[in-house]
């Protein structure tokens, strides 16, 4: 499948490194706002098709699908334009920055019969899919504690007065959008929408969210979400049940998952990953396109809409 790329940053490099393992992936075109930057990026991957006009790339015949890794605030407009031009879309998380935008994207996917999938990598990995099947082993669910706290490499510059994109809320960036999504998404996959939500947030001087927490209330259990771009944490995430606890090494990239039963026994329910984590989101997307599905059967449109609701409270 011939792909175009929008966004020439570190996440795109990581995606392309993982994509090399997929036999049906071909990088055919690169879009950048400047030709020089686009050519520099494309040269690393021996790609000759460089565009500074997004519509021209979509209409060129060079690509069948696009991976979008631009600033969050641009995702909806770019995704809709791609699908309008017959291009399938794999869009980095968070897919959009408002529920209205998500509705517009879903409508475009249906209207133009093109696949749209939010590229949340963790929820399509073998370990997470096995976790979903193993949830009943810990008995009645009582609490989920998921977190992603990672001191941003750009925060030191922020403190020096240099504001980079990561701390610009006008681009849809902030701790919840960029990191909190990794904790919120698996909760929706495992427990669906909460009945109510309690929010706590710490805003920086630019009004970008530096860190925050949420308590999602369900009928018989709760889910606690913590996220930060201004501090680190090295603790695992947990799912607590009456018969035991499921311990997850990193909720953003779950590889080691262990059940610690109440009687002291442990069970490793990890599934070894044959490929890099981002490979699995690409594989799920390509499978959906080949099956002529407008949405993934895992990272569905409805789930992306529910995630968006929690991200934008």
């Amino acid at each position: 499948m011939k792909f175009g790329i929008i966004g020439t940053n570190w996440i795109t490099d990581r995606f392309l490194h993982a994509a090399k393992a997929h036999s049906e992936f071909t990088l055919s075109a690169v879009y950048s706002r400047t030709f020089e930057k686009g050519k520099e990026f494309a040269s690393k991957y021996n790609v000759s098709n460089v565009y500074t006009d997004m519509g021209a790339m979509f209409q060129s015949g060079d690509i069948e699908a696009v991976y979008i890794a631009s600033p969050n605030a641009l995702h909806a407009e770019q995704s809709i334009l791609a699908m309008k031009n017959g291009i399938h879309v794999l869009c980095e998380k968070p897919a959009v920055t408002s529920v209205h935008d998500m509705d517009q994207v879903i409508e475009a996917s249906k209207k133009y019969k093109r696949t749209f999938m939010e590229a949340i990598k963790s929820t399509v990995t073998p370990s997470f899919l096995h976790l979903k099947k193993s949830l009943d082993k810990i008995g009645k669910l009582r609490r989920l504690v998921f977190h992603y706290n990672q001191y941003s490499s750009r925060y030191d510059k922020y403190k020096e007065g240099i504001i980079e994109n990561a701390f610009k809320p006008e681009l849809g960036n902030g701790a919840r959008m960029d990191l909190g999504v990794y904790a919120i998404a698996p909760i929706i996959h495992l427990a669906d929408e909460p009945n109510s939500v309690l929010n706590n947030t710490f805003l920086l001087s630019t009004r970008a969210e530096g860190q925050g927490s949420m308590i999602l209330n369900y009928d018989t259990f709760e889910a606690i979400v913590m996220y930060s771009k201004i501090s680190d944490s090295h603790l695992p995430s947990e799912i607590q049940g009456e018969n035991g606890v499921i311990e997850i090494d990193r909720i953003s990239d779950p590889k080691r998952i262990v059940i610690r039963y109440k009687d002291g026994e442990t069970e490793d329910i990890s599934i070894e990953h044959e490929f890099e984590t981002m490979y699995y989101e690409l594989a799920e997307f390509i499978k959906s396109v080949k099956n002529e599905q407008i949405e993934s059967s895992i990272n569905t449109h409805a789930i992306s809409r529910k995630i968006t609701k929690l991200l934008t409270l």
Side-chain angles (χ1 to χ4, degrees):
M1 188 174 294
K2 296 184 296 182
F3 273 75
I5 292 292
I6 298 174
T8 53
N9 50 43
W10 65 271
I11 193 69
T12 310
D13 278 319
R14 186 171 293 179
F15 171 77
L16 292 173
H17 189 268
K20 287 191 301 184
H22 200 295
S23 61
E24 297 180 57
F25 176 88
T26 302
L27 178 59
S28 297
V30 171
Y31 165 84
S32 180
R33 286 173 297 173
T34 67
F35 182 78
E36 292 75 18
K37 188 174 180 181
K39 186 177 180 180
E40 180 185 359
F41 186 88
S43 66
K44 293 192 297 183
Y45 298 97
N46 299 315
V47 174
S48 58
N49 298 314
V50 178
Y51 293 90
T52 56
D53 183 323
M54 196 175 298
M57 182 175 74
F58 293 152
Q59 295 168 13
S60 66
D62 291 332
I63 67 171
E64 303 162 83
V66 64
Y67 170 70
I68 296 177
S70 55
N72 301 334
L74 303 178
H75 289 178
E77 180 183 356
Q78 293 172 348
S79 296
I80 291 169
L81 181 62
M83 290 186 285
K84 187 176 182 179
N85 283 280
I87 304 300
H88 303 285
V89 176
L90 177 61
C91 184
E92 257 307 328
K93 56 78 201 158
V96 294
T97 56
S98 75
V99 174
H100 171 75
D101 282 351
M102 191 72 244
D103 288 339
Q104 295 293 106
V105 167
I106 294 170
E107 183 181 335
S109 179
K110 293 176 179 177
K111 180 178 180 179
Y112 301 113
K113 296 181 173 57
R114 287 298 176 264
T115 305
F116 175 87
M117 187 182 111
E118 185 173 12
I120 297 179
K121 62 183 182 179
S122 56
T123 53
V124 293
T125 60
S127 279
F128 185 80
L129 295 175
H130 190 232
L131 163 64
K132 289 175 73 172
K133 296 176 182 177
S134 306
L135 202 56
D136 60 349
K137 291 186 174 185
I138 60 170
K140 201 168 188 104
L141 194 61
R142 288 306 185 194
R143 180 180 290 122
L144 298 89
V145 184
F146 288 178
H147 65 88
Y148 192 173
N149 303 279
Q150 181 173 288
Y151 188 95
S152 172
S153 59
R154 297 170 179 84
Y155 187 50
D156 286 336
K157 286 187 177 181
Y158 179 93
K159 290 187 286 187
E160 295 170 2
I162 303 169
I163 313 301
E164 297 190 323
N165 286 354
F167 291 103
K168 291 182 178 178
E170 64 270 26
L171 296 179
N173 292 326
R176 187 184 305 185
M177 284 288 187
D178 296 337
L179 302 184
V181 62
Y182 282 114
I184 291 169
I187 289 173
I188 295 296
H189 277 261
L190 295 171
D192 208 354
E193 290 187 286
N195 298 329
S196 62
V197 180
L198 295 174
N199 264 323
N200 187 50
T201 187
F202 174 74
L203 299 180
L204 301 170
S205 59
T206 61
R207 307 302 293 171
E209 191 173 24
Q211 67 178 27
S213 59
M214 306 169 75
I215 300 177
L216 314 183
N217 297 305
Y218 294 83
D219 288 337
T220 59
F221 62 94
E222 66 180 6
I224 299 170
V225 174
M226 295 173 284
Y227 50 87
S228 177
K229 298 181 82 169
I230 58 177
S231 65
D232 285 320
S233 175
H234 303 286
L235 296 172
S237 289
E238 287 188 343
I239 303 173
Q240 301 168 7
E242 293 190 352
N243 295 336
V245 175
I246 299 176
E247 187 176 281
I248 306 160
D249 58 348
R250 285 173 58 87
I251 198 60
S252 61
D253 189 6
K255 289 192 173 76
R256 179 167 169 76
I257 304 177
V258 176
I259 302 179
R260 302 189 183 281
Y261 292 104
K262 195 169 57 176
D263 62 5
E265 293 293 318
T266 62
E267 180 185 0
D268 189 336
I269 60 168
S270 311
I271 301 293
E272 185 175 354
H273 291 182
E274 183 180 352
F275 303 102
E276 292 183 34
T277 306
M278 294 184 82
Y279 169 92
Y280 296 101
E281 67 185 34
L282 173 64
E284 174 63 20
F285 174 74
I286 288 177
K287 183 178 74 172
S288 300
V289 173
K290 289 177 66 178
N291 290 342
E292 299 184 347
Q293 301 168 215
I294 64 168
E295 61 183 322
S296 160
S297 57
I298 302 172
N299 288 352
T300 66
H301 290 171
I303 284 178
S304 287
R305 191 180 191 277
K306 291 171 183 178
I307 292 168
T308 303
K309 283 174 66 177
L310 291 177
L311 288 175
T312 55
L313 283 176

